[in-house]
């Protein structure tokens, strides 16, 4: 639209006029120009409950709950408070006898790994603070890692005894082969998803095998 003098109106002035008119008309149309506080619909449900009000004090809190469960489940079998007895389970599973039957120690000696070499490594354990680490994580080690090591031991001992007879160089070569297989897959394959999925087992297994080979080789040469 042209003005009376024939010049075109300035778009900026028109925009300011429209914004000013909308600001004046907002209260009349029921809109508030002031900032309101945030409101959230709860649908008549409370956002949360106070556990102190709806929980029996006897089981409120982790300590009280464990003590309550202990009294209900019996002293001889305290649920959630029982600790894994490593020495007892080793005796029940006869792991010492099965270790001797598998010939694990003799096979280690054939590979050049003797008790004298283990004795030399004991000061290294003190230097690395391994004893303090075990003490600080006693509950985690006894209730989580110990069962994982002790319970499958009867079935794993023959496999470990057979694996010990393998040269450390074989483990190192197998580890490098796994890493090389993943590298070959990355170069030849255009499937990124396949490369990523294969990387987890190949790199993981390769790292474990190579580490085992290095550890066995280090112990032999210690």
């Amino acid at each position: 639209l042209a003005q009376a003098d024939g010049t075109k109106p300035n778009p900026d002035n028109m925009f300011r006029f429209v914004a000013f008119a909308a600001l004046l008309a907002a209260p009349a149309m029921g809109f508030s120009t002031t900032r309101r506080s945030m409101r959230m619909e709860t649908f008549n449900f409370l956002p949360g409950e106070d556990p102190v009000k709806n929980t029996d004090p006897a089981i409120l809190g982790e300590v009280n709950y464990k003590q309550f469960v202990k009294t209900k489940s019996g002293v001889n079998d305290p649920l959630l408070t029982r600790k894994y007895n490593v020495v007892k389970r080793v005796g029940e599973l006869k792991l010492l006898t099965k270790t001797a039957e598998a010939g694990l120690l003799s096979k280690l000696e054939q590979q050049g790994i003797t008790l004298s070499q283990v004795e030399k490594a004991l000061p290294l354990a003190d230097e690395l603070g391994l004893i303090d680490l075990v003490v600080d994580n006693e509950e985690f080690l006894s209730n989580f890692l110990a069962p994982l090591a002790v319970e499958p031991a009867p079935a794993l001992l023959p496999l470990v005894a057979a694996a010990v007879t393998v040269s450390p160089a074989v483990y190192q070569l197998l580890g490098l082969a796994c890493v090389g297989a993943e590298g070959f897959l990355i170069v030849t394959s255009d499937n990124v998803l396949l490369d990523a999925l294969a990387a987890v087992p190949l790199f993981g297994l390769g790292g474990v095998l190579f580490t085992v080979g290095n550890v066995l080789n280090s112990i032999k040469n210690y």
Side-chain angles (χ1 to χ4, degrees), residues 12-27:
D12 293 338
N13 294 335
M14 293 182 62
F15 175 77
R16 293 171 184 171
F17 175 78
V18 173
F20 181 71
L23 184 63
L24 294 178

Side-chain angles (χ1 to χ4, degrees), residues 11-215:
D12 293 338
N13 294 335
M14 293 182 62
F15 175 77
R16 293 171 184 171
F17 175 78
V18 173
F20 181 71
L23 184 63
L24 294 178
M29 298 176 64
F31 296 101
S32 175
T33 57
T34 60
R35 186 175 182 179
R36 296 182 179 180
S37 60
M38 181 181 294
R39 294 181 181 179
M40 301 180 65
E41 181 60 61
T42 62
F43 301 101
N44 294 326
F45 289 103
L46 295 177
E49 298 182 359
D50 188 357
V52 178
K53 294 182 179 180
N54 59 11
T55 305
D56 189 340
I59 62 173
L60 182 61
E62 181 180 357
V63 176
N64 292 336
Y65 180 69
K66 285 186 175 182
Q67 294 297 328
F68 175 81
V69 173
K70 184 177 180 180
T71 59
K72 294 299 180 182
S73 59
V75 178
N76 296 327
D77 186 23
L79 182 64
L80 299 179
T81 59
R82 179 176 52 187
K83 290 186 177 181
Y84 185 79
N85 194 327
V86 178
V87 177
K88 181 180 179 181
R89 286 300 293 160
V90 168
E92 291 174 348
L93 296 174
K94 300 185 183 301
L95 292 185
L96 298 180
T97 301
K98 293 180 179 179
T99 301
E101 292 175 351
L104 179 60
L105 297 180
S106 60
K107 291 178 179 178
L108 285 172
E109 188 174 356
Q110 292 174 1
Q111 293 295 321
I113 303 173
T114 61
L115 293 178
S116 60
Q117 290 176 318
V118 176
E119 184 181 14
K120 294 178 182 178
L122 294 180
L124 181 62
D126 287 335
E127 293 177 4
L128 297 177
L130 297 182
I131 302 300
D132 294 335
L133 181 64
V134 171
V135 172
D136 294 338
N137 299 275
E138 179 182 2
E139 184 174 354
F140 173 76
L141 294 174
S142 62
N143 291 334
F144 182 72
L145 293 185
L148 294 179
V150 173
E151 296 301 327
L156 294 179
L157 277 173
L159 298 178
V160 173
V164 167
T165 60
V166 180
S167 173
V170 174
Y171 289 107
Q172 293 174 334
L173 290 176
L174 289 175
L176 293 176
C178 291
V179 176
E182 174 60 23
F184 176 78
L185 187 63
I186 293 175
V187 173
T188 58
S189 174
D190 295 331
N191 192 331
V192 178
L193 179 60
L194 178 62
D195 297 342
L197 292 177
V200 176
L202 288 177
F203 278 141
L205 181 61
V208 170
L209 291 173
F210 192 79
T211 302
V212 169
N214 283 338
V215 170

